């Protein structure tokens, strides 16, 4: 039986097992996908289990996407550039780290037929997922990427990797076509981004990486002001689909049931 795992801390709320086990079932695979809460000190031994074929694949989530890197044998070019790994697999006895968040974001944006080409994008947050989003936006030929983070030094670190981005102060609102919330603000119901976007007018695209709650205050008020909105649910599903494809050499479907599972 194949053995897959998502690791993180916390991990209780991860929906990855639901999604992967559904795909395992409908494809009649002899496999199981579990979740495991870990401490950073346990990462090395876990990768040993991959090398010894006790584990067939791992998804990595907050806060280990970067911390896991020293224990891997090789990184894909995407994982290398973003210094972020969310998918681990063994290939020719080599433990490889890859990042499917980039593809997840790109496919989610393409799925809703938004064309990023030539657009000005304001990215809020410089945490774990931000490098993946910047890389995807650059691949999709955004004209300009502004980054705004409460702690400016973290935005500066991101700029060391992606020279093309421009840092703006937290709270500043440059002219944009698309704005992305990649902060954790909004995960809790009583939280909101303390910036007033009502003055930017209508007809912009507001994207939130958060999908639970399905509509953050950030998206709610954007919609009220006549903007297009989208949450991070499809990004989550597409990154999972890409991992599944790597491990099982088949592309699982995204149907109504999948959309319902991620709620
Ligand atoms: P990490 O910082 O460990 O990578 P993350 O969940 O990936 O964690 O990122 C959290 C993001 O939400 C960061 O951009 C963080 O900003 P800081 O770098 O300044 O911490 C942002 N964030 C979290 N709480 C915030 C708040 N109250 N106001 C503004 N930004 C906040």
């Amino acid at each position: 039986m194949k053995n897959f795992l998502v690791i993180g801390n916390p991990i209780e709320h991860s929906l990855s097992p639901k999604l992967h086990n559904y795909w395992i079932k409908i494809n009649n695979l002899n496999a199981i996908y579990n979740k495991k809460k870990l401490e950073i000190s346990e990462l090395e031994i876990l990768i040993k289990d991959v090398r010894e074929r006790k584990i067939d694949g791992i998804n990595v989530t907050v806060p280990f996407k970067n911390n896991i890197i020293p224990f891997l044998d090789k990184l894909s070019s995407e994982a290398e550039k973003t210094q972020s790994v969310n998918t681990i697999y063994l290939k020719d006895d080599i433990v490889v780290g890859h990042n499917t968040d980039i593809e997840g974001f790109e496919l989610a944006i393409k799925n809703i037929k938004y064309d990023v080409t030539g657009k000005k994008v304001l990215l809020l947050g410089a945490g774990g997922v931000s490098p993946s989003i910047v890389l995807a936006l650059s691949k999709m030929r955004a004209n300009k990427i502004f980054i705004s983070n409460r702690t400016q030094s973290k935005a500066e670190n991101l700029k060391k990797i992606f020279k093309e981005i421009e840092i703006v102060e937290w709270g500043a609102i440059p002219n944009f076509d698309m704005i992305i919330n990649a902060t954790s603000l909004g995960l809790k119901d009583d939280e909101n981004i303390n910036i007033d976007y009502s003055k930017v007018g209508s007809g912009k695209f507001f994207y939130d990486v958060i999908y639970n709650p399905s509509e953050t205050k950030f998206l709610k008020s954007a919609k009220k002001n006549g903007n297009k909105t989208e949450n991070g649910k499809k990004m989550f599903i597409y990154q999972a689909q890409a991992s599944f494809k790597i491990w099982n050499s088949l592309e699982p479907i995204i149907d109504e049931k999948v959309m319902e599972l991620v709620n």
Side-chain angles (χ1 to χ4, degrees):
M1 176 161 15
K2 282 197 173 179
N3 188 11
F4 301 103
L5 206 57
V6 57
I7 59 159
N9 195 345
I11 199 65
E12 301 86 65
H13 299 296
S14 171
L15 292 173
S16 293
K18 260 191 184 175
L19 195 50
H20 281 270
N21 285 319
Y22 170 69
W23 282 330
I24 285 169
K25 190 166 157 229
I26 61 168
N27 286 290
N28 290 315
L29 301 178
N30 184 20
I32 182 123
Y33 186 112
N34 290 307
K35 55 185 164 192
K36 197 168 184 187
K37 184 176 157 186
L38 285 185
E39 300 303 324
I40 194 161
S41 57
E42 296 172 285
L43 294 178
E44 188 167 14
I45 187 106
L46 184 81
I47 297 308
K48 201 166 151 264
D49 284 349
V50 177
R51 204 169 277 115
E52 291 171 1
R53 297 169 195 274
K54 289 180 193 151
I55 301 171
D56 297 277
I58 299 176
N59 274 143
V60 185
T61 187
V62 180
F64 301 130
K65 288 185 181 188
N66 175 263
N67 296 331
I68 196 83
I69 291 177
F71 308 111
L72 307 174
D73 300 328
K74 193 185 155 187
L75 296 181
S76 68
S77 61
E78 291 88 351
E80 177 75 49
K81 176 83 180 176
T82 55
Q83 286 295 296
S84 173
V85 165
N86 80 332
T87 305
I88 295 171
Y89 59 97
L90 193 71
K91 186 167 189 262
D92 303 329
D93 294 318
I94 283 174
V95 184
V96 185
H98 179 47
N99 180 351
T100 67
D101 286 334
I102 303 147
E103 191 179 335
F105 180 75
E106 199 178 341
L107 290 175
I109 297 300
K110 287 188 172 154
N111 175 270
I112 54 167
K113 301 194 164 46
Y114 184 78
D115 188 3
V116 170
T117 316
K119 297 291 197 315
K120 292 182 173 59
V121 185
L122 171 57
L123 176 60
L124 306 173
V129 77
S130 291
S132 304
I133 292 179
V134 172
L135 184 55
L137 290 169
S138 286
K139 273 181 73 187
M140 290 188 278
R141 302 190 178 283
N143 167 269
K144 186 88 205 170
I145 302 168
F146 298 104
I147 180 135
S148 178
N149 195 55
R150 177 183 58 178
T151 312
Q152 188 151 337
S153 59
K154 278 167 79 181
E156 280 156 11
N157 288 338
L158 204 58
K159 192 174 164 61
K160 285 178 196 151
I161 306 176
F162 299 98
K163 307 267 185 302
E164 68 269 31
I165 64 178
E166 185 177 325
I167 298 171
V168 297
E169 261 178 50
W170 182 246
I173 309 178
N175 184 24
F176 65 82
D177 304 297
M178 177 184 189
I179 180 167
I180 301 166
N181 176 33
T183 75
S184 49
L185 283 170
L187 276 173
K188 299 194 191 103
D189 268 340
D190 55 342
E191 264 179 2
N192 193 17
I193 299 166
N194 56 347
I195 304 169
D196 181 9
Y197 295 106
S198 62
K199 292 182 200 74
V200 304
S202 60
K204 318 257 184 200
F205 181 25
F206 282 62
Y207 184 94
D208 203 320
V209 172
I210 295 170
Y211 57 88
N212 188 15
S214 62
E215 196 172 54
T216 55
K217 291 196 175 107
F218 174 71
L219 293 187
K220 218 170 256 168
S221 67
K223 196 188 261 178
K224 208 175 79 195
N225 292 322
N227 296 287
K228 178 182 171 69
T229 61
E230 180 74 15
N231 71 16
K233 182 168 162 173
K234 286 181 181 152
M235 177 181 178
F236 174 73
I237 293 171
Y238 280 119
Q239 64 75 31
Q241 186 189 41
S243 297
F244 192 95
K245 203 169 154 183
I246 289 170
W247 296 327
N248 300 298
S249 306
L250 65 90
E251 187 171 285
I253 53 161
I254 296 174
D255 56 7
E256 279 300 309
K257 178 85 199 270
V258 165
M259 297 301 285
E260 277 167 29
L261 281 175
V262 185
N263 266 325

